[in-house]
Amino acid sequence: MLKPDIDKSDIAKKAKNDSKKTTKKQDPNKPSGFYDVRGVDNETIYVGKGPSKRVAQSLKVKQGDKVISYIVTEGVGDLNVRETAFAFEELLLRKAEKSGANLLNEKTSPGKKILDNLQKNNPEAFQQVKEAFEKKMAEGGKEIKPKS
């Protein structure tokens, strides 16, 4: 398993600086996305959620070979689109960890809390989210390669 030589402290500093930027109030039902940064061995090295600009930034910063990007256009179960994208990001993290991936992710996704609450309070909706995620994975995402 090949892993890019990345200083996690630089990534953490960048993320901290990015979080200080002023954020706009987001429409919770605006289409959103989540993505999977892959290394040269096609193994997941980072999972994220965000717009295409963030996908490109993650590909560069994480020194990935490519990104598989997925778009979420509708909520699932009791979740709006934004919450669904966070839940899908968390499910992708869990899937990558289960396969033994050595992820560069350093903080917990908001999707963890969303999924934990669903599993506890609405198991039927939790199952709907898991099934919708598996369907999204089967459909495949858009592959993005770094610009040369």
Side-chain angles (χ1 to χ4, degrees):
M1 170 174 74
L2 297 174
K3 183 179 170 197
D5 185 27
I6 297 173
D7 183 354
K8 287 187 178 184
S9 64
D10 288 342
I11 294 169
K13 287 176 193 171
K14 173 120 182 72
K16 187 174 182 180
N17 289 338
D18 287 349
S19 69
K20 291 180 183 176
K21 295 177 184 174
T22 307
T23 56
K24 299 177 193 172
K25 183 110 173 140
Q26 295 180 353
D27 176 358
N29 285 308
K30 179 180 178 183
S32 189
F34 64 104
Y35 54 93
D36 176 1
V37 180
R38 307 259 177 109
V40 293
D41 58 358
N42 203 35
E43 183 177 317
T44 299
I45 60 172
Y46 183 81
V47 173
K49 182 211 155 293
S52 57
K53 183 177 179 181
R54 187 170 306 141
V55 172
Q57 179 183 15
S58 290
L59 181 58
K60 182 178 178 185
V61 171
K62 308 307 188 224
Q63 299 176 355
D65 187 54
K66 67 181 175 184
V67 171
I68 309 298
S69 178
Y70 305 87
I71 301 298
V72 179
T73 57
E74 59 186 23
V76 177
D78 294 341
L79 305 180
N80 62 39
V81 172
R82 186 169 183 258
E83 293 166 333
T84 299
F86 275 125
F88 285 2
E89 174 196 30
E90 176 64 21
L91 289 169
L92 187 56
L93 277 165
R94 292 177 185 183
K95 182 177 181 177
E97 287 170 347
K98 190 175 183 178
S99 73
N102 189 3
L103 297 173
L104 297 173
N105 295 68
E106 290 190 6
K107 65 180 187 176
T108 304
S109 160
K112 179 177 179 358
K113 185 175 182 180
I114 291 168
L115 287 174
D116 290 348
N117 285 337
L118 265 185
Q119 190 169 17
K120 179 181 176 184
N121 301 316
N122 191 341
E124 185 178 314
F126 176 76
Q127 190 60 36
Q128 289 173 341
V129 170
K130 283 178 51 178
E131 289 171 4
F133 171 76
E134 290 303 328
K135 182 179 177 186
K136 182 66 73 177
M137 294 292 98
E139 291 171 358
K142 178 181 177 185
E143 185 174 308
I144 302 167
K145 291 272 199 176
K147 294 181 180 174
S148 306

